[in-house]
Amino acid sequence: MTRPYNFSAGPAAMPEEVLHLAASEMLDWHESGMGVMEMSHRGSEFISIYEQAEVDFRELLDIPKEFKILFMQGGGLGENAIVPMNLSKGGEIDFVLSGSWGQKSFKEATKYATPRLAATSESEGFTRLPDPSTWSLSKEASYVHLCTNETIHGVECHTLPNLKALGSKAPLVIDFSSHVLSRTVDWSRVGLAFAGAQKNIGPAGLTIVVVREVLIGQAMDICPSAFDYKLVSAAESMYNTPPTYAIYIAGLTFQWMKRQEEGGQQGVGAMELRNKAKAQLLYDFLDNSSFYENRVNPMDRSRMNVPFFLKDETRNEAFLKGAKANGLLQLKGHKSVGGMRASIYNAMPLKGVQVLVEYLREFERSYS
Ligand SMILES: *Cc1c(COP(=O)(O)O)cnc(C)c1O
């Protein structure tokens, strides 16, 4: 059976191999007599799953040892509160906004701290990343927040800013939920990175936080214990029960990723090459068409989330119906932006994007 191609923005398509493997181990993991959902998180079986997942994640993203990796719950929106409670001491935070996820983070931070708008592209409909030379950063800021891939607006930061060169001493906090593991990360420019798992990693419910050890240990008194990085870190992410099954699936995805090869590269390097090829194929087609359009500044376009519009929007419904009939699912755009959106995360093969482009071409032809 061939499954349809699923372009959901999240929770999103998983590598089929991972789903098959998880299914085969559902009732009995490695002859333990138990499924992973049924194991104590403190037992040796689960501890081995957890440790391997952490090692693989660190290896895939080449995370230096001065960073701790925390497996938490609460999602991206949870971190919008958890990060300020852990890093801001109630003081100033600089926000750079290039889409609605950054906006949400800003709004949540007002409950705990004093967010400042360092830069925003809102007046341009969030179709670009504000140029770093225009950011107005505060000397007092406890950190600078940037969502490095705006899932809804399709804006991606392709080079992490060098805050020191911009006159700020603050650490950079990135929400990389929707492009984690799709590309390499320059950790020298990062203080903390967080990601919900449901885009590029695995099931919803797991949130991964990568944080410099020097930033741990300054949580505000109001911070719930289960969300205090110091307590979570000291307990190796077992302060309370972690999302065990989600961690297991994430681990299977990491192993799958390590097996991927492309252009002489493995792991994230292979994913990045594939993701570039997929995105280029789709953007090139859209740019050369007079029937469809993508409105994002070409320099800032996301490789993961490609919002696009039919120039004649009265055809949207027919487009989506035809797409579904052709085995192309969940292409409807986010309600705040409208139009269509193709999310082409790691698990989407090049073939899926080729089939999508073929459908786009056919649909256009049927109207000319
Ligand atoms: C999906 C997503 C989130 C998700 O937050 P949840 O609380 O897990 O729903 C956060 N940030 C970005 C950039 C996202 O794409």
Side-chain angles (χ1 to χ4, degrees), residues 98-105 126 150-153 334 336-337:
S98 60
S100 44
W101 285 106
Q103 254 182 334
K104 275 192 197 195
S105 304
F126 290 131
E150 282 286 356
T151 321
I152 293 173
H153 288 88
H334 189 271
S336 66
V337 172

Side-chain angles (χ1 to χ4, degrees), residues 9 74-78 101 147 149-151 175 177-178 194 196 198-199:
L77 290 190
W101 285 106
C147 174
N149 187 64
E150 282 286 356
T151 321
D175 174 358
S177 295
S178 53
F194 68 84
Q198 69 269 32
K199 314 290 164 60

Side-chain angles (χ1 to χ4, degrees), residues 2-16 19 198-200 278 304-305 323-324 326-332 341-349 351-353 355-356:
T2 59
R3 302 169 81 222
Y5 292 108
N6 178 354
F7 296 89
S8 172
M14 297 277 302
E16 219 170 288
L19 296 176
Q198 69 269 32
K199 314 290 164 60
N200 244 343
K278 280 150 51 184
M304 296 284 100
N305 310 98
K324 196 168 175 192
N326 280 274
L328 303 166
L329 305 183
Q330 309 203 66
L331 282 163
K332 192 173 177 166
R341 173 173 49 167
S343 294
I344 49 176
Y345 299 118
N346 284 347
M348 175 64 62
K351 177 76 181 158
V353 180
V355 173
L356 171 63

